[in-house]
Amino acid sequence: VERLLACGATVMLAVGGWNLGKKLAKDRFTKVVWGVACIATFTTATMPLINAILILVCLLGGGLAALVVYRDELTKPVEVAEVPSVGISKSSGMIMLVISWPALLLVTVVDTMGAAPPLVQMIAPYLRVGCLVFGGGPVVIPLLLLQLSASGAIDAHEFALGFGLVQMLPVAMYNLAAFCGALTGGIQGACLCWAVMVTPGVLMALGALPYWQVVRTEP
């Protein structure tokens, strides 16, 4: 059964990555950005601090390069529809956007120094994934696997079992954090790791709403 789950998890991960690539990498520019990002992140998988920095560099660099490559499309006139209020002020949104980043920096630095408390060592991979991943399951899975394998929290076999189990349940892929957290910290570890990985994305999504509302009102 374990081998069957592992094989199924590998196949589903490969299919998910391929389908995501077909949706997003449609021209030469996006394929180049995708290739560079893959090489940069996978070659530094065993160096968490450098890996986290390179992920940010790839995200920011790809975004800035896209502004140049697609500048003609960005200047096309569009119709502006009436946008309802989101109920979140800009100041509150800014707090939500940035509150996770100091925690990420502190946890990453302490974890890299090699003398981090067990609690910090346990949550560090999940906080990095929660802050740095933009995308769905095909993005979460390889990065989380690399982070956990590099830290020695769990091995690839245990991860594959959890992946196969989550795939058979009607839940989001982020809930894989609960399975992996339970392997290292029991029920408390499951709840903590799940919360640490999910909370940054939720806060940043809510924090971006008031600014997205302003952008949508611009022609």
Side-chain angles (χ1 to χ4, degrees):
V1 175
E2 291 183 356
R3 292 181 179 180
L4 180 61
L5 287 174
C7 292
T10 303
V11 171
M12 286 185 283
L13 177 59
V15 172
W18 175 257
N19 290 335
L20 183 64
K22 289 194 297 182
K23 292 179 180 178
L24 300 180
K26 294 185 177 181
D27 54 24
R28 181 177 298 178
F29 169 74
T30 51
K31 290 178 180 178
V32 169
V33 171
W34 175 77
V36 171
C38 286
I39 294 173
T41 53
F42 277 93
T43 53
T44 59
T46 57
M47 298 173 282
L49 180 59
I50 297 177
N51 185 263
I53 293 173
L54 281 178
I55 291 174
L56 286 176
V57 170
C58 290
L59 288 172
L60 295 175
L64 293 175
L67 291 176
V68 177
V69 173
Y70 301 117
R71 59 183 181 276
D72 293 335
E73 297 183 18
L74 294 175
T75 57
K76 291 181 180 179
V78 295
E79 296 183 2
V80 179
E82 183 178 353
V83 180
S85 174
V86 296
I88 301 175
S89 66
K90 290 184 179 180
S91 57
S92 299
M94 180 58 65
I95 293 174
M96 293 181 183
L97 282 171
V98 304
I99 193 172
S100 299
W101 298 102
L104 172 65
L105 179 61
L106 177 62
V107 167
T108 301
V109 171
V110 172
D111 186 46
T112 306
M113 293 173 62
L119 180 63
V120 174
Q121 294 179 10
M122 181 174 67
I123 68 173
Y126 303 96
L127 184 59
R128 280 193 289 266
V129 172
C131 288
L132 300 176
V133 164
F134 292 81
V139 184
V140 172
I141 300 307
L143 182 58
L144 183 59
L145 173 59
L146 291 174
Q147 293 287 332
L148 293 176
S149 298
S151 64
I154 64 174
D155 58 33
H157 179 67
E158 293 172 328
F159 187 89
L161 290 177
F163 179 74
L165 177 63
V166 172
Q167 284 283 15
M168 294 187 293
L169 301 174
V171 294
M173 191 52 61
Y174 266 54
N175 289 333
L176 179 59
F179 176 88
C180 297
L183 293 179
T184 55
I187 298 298
Q188 294 85 353
C191 297
L192 180 60
C193 293
W194 179 86
V196 166
M197 196 164 93
V198 172
T199 301
V202 174
L203 289 176
M204 284 187 275
L206 293 175
L209 286 178
Y211 299 96
W212 179 242
Q213 182 184 24
V214 174
V215 172
R216 291 186 63 189
T217 59
E218 296 294 332

